[in-house]
Amino acid sequence: MSQTADSQSPMPVRTAAFAAALGAWILWSGVILTGTGLIIANNFVVGGLIAFFAAYTAGWPNGGRLPAIVAPALVVVFGLWTVAAPFVLGVTIDRVLWSNVISGVLVVLLAAGSVYGSWHLTQSSTTGV
């Protein structure tokens, strides 16, 4: 007997949706917070990737065409890079630095919840519980 949509945990969908929203913030934060240099392009690309893969996870928490753990795991990696990027790229504007650190940590935490939720969803669907 397989799980119905009503009995599945909403955790991977909700955490991924919040991570996607943070990805959208990261995408525009370099411009909104008037960053300078490579951090603007970095945040645009990485924020877009976070938003894309997190939205993919929210849309297909069981994985869709990808194994269930791949998209949220990529979001974790991109979140970690978001935290490290201002230090690696030598950002001197505090508001940009702290925006990246706080947003990146939140993305990592939310994506880790999505990884766990997607893994749990996959495990329960393969065991039929």
Side-chain angles (χ1 to χ4, degrees), residues 85-109:
F87 302 103
V88 172
L89 299 176
V91 171
T92 57
I93 301 170
D94 284 344
R95 64 184 170 268
V96 175
L97 183 138
W98 285 108
S99 173
N100 269 45
V101 169
I102 293 167
S103 299
V105 167
L106 290 172
V107 164
V108 169
L109 292 173

Side-chain angles (χ1 to χ4, degrees), residues 71-87:
L74 285 171
V75 176
V76 169
V77 171
F78 294 136
L80 290 171
W81 172 249
T82 300
V83 173
F87 302 103

